[in-house]
Amino acid sequence: MADHKLTVEELIRFPALQLRLLAGEGGLGRSVSWAHVSELDDPTPWLLGAEVIMTTGIAIPRSAARQRAYLERLDDAGVSALALSAQLHVPPLHESFFAAAEKRGMPVLEVPLAVPFIAIAQEVAAAVQEDARQRLGAQLQVFGALRWLASEDLDTPTLFHRLERLSGYQVYLCTPQGRPLLPGVPVPDPGTLPTSADAPPTIPGGFVLPVPAPGGPAGFLVALEREGARPAGLAVAQHIATVAAFQVAMVRHERETLRREGAEILAELLQDVLDPATARRRLIRLGLQAEDLVLLTVRRVPDEALLRVLDDHPCLVLRRGEDRHVLGSRELGTVIARAADDDSGGAGTAGPGLTGVVAGMSRPFPAGASLRVAQREAAWAATRAAESGQPLVRYGEDAMGRWLPEDPSVLSALVEHVLGEVIRYDAEHDSRLLASVRTWMERDRRTEDAAAALHIHPNTLAYRIRRFSALTGRDLTSTGAFAEVWLAVRAAGQLGLTE
């Protein structure tokens, strides 16, 4: 059974105080943590909740609408009761004021002129003294959380379950975007998160506090009072936020260490210097399953944005020049495509996005397999994504690409046999015959559209097509010749020989 707390009803029963209930009988069971004098029109930024606010009446507005707003403001901040000094500065109270108090169950008390406010404060302080000792004990034990981390090697869920038992709060953590901040700790209702950086920490039934981190908050801690428990107050909630900050720093350090190790392993895999058994063991140790891995080539996106999107998904990431190579499960393609959609969706989309991302994904392969084929597939698919304006292309989705062999030597032979003369002519004359014909073919031989895409005159494009036919010895009006040239153009793209 929870320890007893002082209530508004018990405070009224103190004979020496002579308090009289004016309205709000439904709130007599509210607990009281403190009694405080305030003559401010809006004292709520300085309140923690469960206070009895005492006023001589200077703070009470005169109009009905403002009186009601004043009372509702105090109630929303968690004030237990409003105590008004009789026969001093209280203006005439309107019926709407009393109606709001009854509706909300917000006790409004009258204090006789003969009873000083300090007497009420002393009675409340004496009554809550035991609760104050309990709060101090909880603070000292929460300070010991860092010792638990060092001596008992607690996992995150166990650590925060202990903190919940000590503090009397149900604890929630999330990033500023509302996503999980630490594994095993639930996220709060988005409606509890602050709307501005200077929002007060008090919310109905608890507190919301930033989790500090270099460069700005890592997220927020929401602490809500548990039914039947004795909440230990704001100081303890702040200590828990500090513990969360230490945990976030540790997790980030561990992730960065694993990320660097993963990048080194991926570099070795791309260089094909690991034997299959060793590669398989290392990938499994880093949390990657033995089957259905894919390799992605990602372009046109900052490293920070990509890592943020992939943060919750086991993968290896390596940067080489302008390309980011990502090795992981096939769901990574869906994750990147969804992040691209988040950005294109405009305002109101949740979570991080990838503006302008271009990505290509290989076909699935088992852990330990050589990445030579997967690397070519991912690069080719990324090039197709850039050409088509899609954020992601998966290799094999294009029916024509399935007819091309995987062996690079066979692809090279096909390109040389059909396009060799054109490639050499382009290199020697700084011309763009191959790129022009490829653009023309991709636009279904619509000369006007292709010329516009190339920013040249249609007559110039017609000349380039004729010159291409002469160099290759193939008439592009022939179906057979067109098909052969188209396959060779696609093979050149797969080998990275086209723009």
Side-chain angles (χ1 to χ4, degrees):
M1 179 179 294
D3 292 327
H4 183 70
K5 283 186 171 184
L6 176 67
T7 66
V8 176
E9 184 174 15
E10 290 170 333
L11 188 64
I12 292 176
R13 289 177 180 172
F14 287 1
L17 300 181
Q18 306 175 49
L19 300 176
R20 184 167 71 92
L21 180 68
L22 299 180
E25 184 178 2
L28 291 179
R30 294 184 178 193
S31 61
V32 176
S33 65
W34 198 246
H36 186 71
V37 178
S38 175
E39 303 296 355
L40 297 176
D41 177 63
D42 183 11
T44 57
W46 294 272
L47 302 179
L48 297 178
E51 297 95 347
V52 171
I53 293 299
M54 301 178 289
T55 175
T56 62
I58 296 175
I60 306 296
R62 292 193 169 272
S63 72
R66 293 184 61 196
Q67 283 183 4
R68 178 167 185 153
Y70 171 78
L71 182 133
E72 291 176 343
R73 199 158 47 240
L74 295 180
D75 186 44
D76 289 341
V79 169
S80 298
L82 174 64
L84 309 175
S85 180
Q87 303 173 19
L88 280 180
H89 305 292
V90 178
L93 299 174
H94 296 271
E95 286 299 324
S96 60
F97 175 84
F98 292 113
E102 291 294 343
K103 180 179 179 181
R104 286 177 167 248
M106 171 70 168
V108 177
L109 312 179
E110 184 182 68
V111 184
L113 187 60
V115 177
F117 284 163
I118 188 63
I120 300 174
Q122 288 176 339
E123 290 287 0
V124 172
V128 301
Q129 185 176 9
E130 181 182 350
D131 184 61
R133 285 196 296 267
Q134 181 266 336
R135 290 184 179 216
L136 177 60
Q139 290 183 35
L140 295 175
Q141 292 186 64
V142 169
F143 274 129
L146 300 181
R147 178 175 55 82
W148 302 338
L149 285 174
S151 62
E152 300 183 43
D153 193 25
L154 299 179
D155 60 23
T156 300
T158 302
L159 171 65
F160 278 87
H161 284 322
R162 282 196 186 182
L163 293 175
E164 286 178 332
R165 290 198 302 271
L166 283 174
S167 67
Y169 294 104
Q170 181 73 41
V171 172
Y172 303 86
L173 290 170
C174 69
T175 67
Q177 296 79 25
R179 297 184 296 121
L181 180 62
L182 287 174
V185 182
V187 299
D189 183 332
T192 62
L193 299 183
T195 56
S196 64
D198 56 353
T202 304
I203 59 175
F207 307 101
V208 57
L209 300 165
V211 177
F220 294 97
L221 177 142
V222 175
L224 298 179
E225 296 178 6
R226 290 189 291 111
E227 186 176 356
R230 295 186 66 182
L234 176 60
V236 167
Q238 289 172 330
H239 296 329
I240 296 176
T242 302
V243 173
F246 277 114
Q247 282 292 93
V248 169
M250 291 171 57
V251 169
R252 287 181 173 179
H253 176 72
E254 291 172 359
R255 286 181 178 174
E256 182 61 27
T257 300
L258 290 175
R259 186 175 293 136
R260 292 179 180 178
E261 182 182 355
E264 293 174 359
I265 292 175
L266 182 52
E268 293 178 318
L269 292 171
L270 292 173
Q271 295 168 8
D272 212 15
V273 298
L274 295 178
D275 64 86
T278 300
R280 188 181 180 90
R281 286 196 303 270
R282 292 189 181 182
L283 291 174
I284 293 175
R285 182 171 58 82
L286 291 174
L288 299 179
Q289 299 299 319
E291 305 296 333
D292 287 342
L293 297 179
V294 296
L295 183 70
L296 293 100
T297 295
V298 184
R299 298 169 182 162
R300 302 182 186 175
V301 64
D303 292 342
E304 298 79 8
L306 178 62
L307 294 175
R308 190 167 59 245
V309 167
L310 300 176
D311 195 37
D312 297 327
H313 305 275
C315 61
L316 311 184
V317 181
L318 174 68
R319 177 174 182 173
R320 280 187 171 177
E322 296 302 314
D323 288 350
R324 282 79 171 170
H325 301 289
V326 182
L327 178 66
S329 67
R330 65 172 73 194
E331 72 173 358
L332 293 180
T334 303
V335 171
I336 289 177
R338 185 182 298 121
D341 289 341
D342 283 346
D343 267 345
S344 63
T349 54
L354 298 178
T355 303
V357 65
V358 167
M361 190 173 88
S362 73
R363 292 174 297 175
F365 55 86
S370 171
L371 298 190
R372 284 179 295 180
V373 172
Q375 190 173 0
R376 288 198 306 273
E377 292 176 351
W380 177 87
T383 300
R384 290 296 299 157
E387 293 170 349
S388 63
Q390 302 177 68
L392 173 73
V393 168
R394 295 173 175 84
Y395 185 89
E397 289 181 341
D398 176 26
M400 183 62 68
R402 299 173 185 172
W403 294 100
L404 297 174
E406 296 181 1
D407 191 332
S409 62
V410 177
L411 291 174
S412 297
L414 172 62
V415 172
E416 172 60 30
H417 176 64
V418 179
L419 304 176
E421 291 296 329
V422 174
I423 292 174
R424 284 186 285 274
Y425 183 89
D426 278 346
E428 292 171 4
H429 298 84
D430 195 24
S431 58
R432 303 188 66 221
L433 297 184
L434 179 55
S436 299
V437 170
R438 175 176 60 81
T439 302
W440 176 67
M441 288 180 161
E442 288 174 345
R443 283 158 178 77
D444 298 326
R445 291 171 281 184
R446 294 191 295 269
T447 303
E448 295 284 345
D449 290 350
L454 293 165
H455 305 290
I456 60 176
H457 194 277
N459 291 342
T460 303
L461 176 58
Y463 166 77
R464 291 181 181 180
I465 293 171
R466 290 195 299 272
R467 186 66 180 140
F468 180 94
S469 295
L471 288 171
T472 60
R474 288 163 173 83
D475 180 4
L476 295 182
T477 62
S478 164
T479 301
F482 184 90
E484 184 182 23
V485 170
W486 179 234
L487 283 171
V489 168
R490 299 299 296 277
Q494 190 162 327
L495 292 171
L497 300 177
T498 59
E499 298 177 13

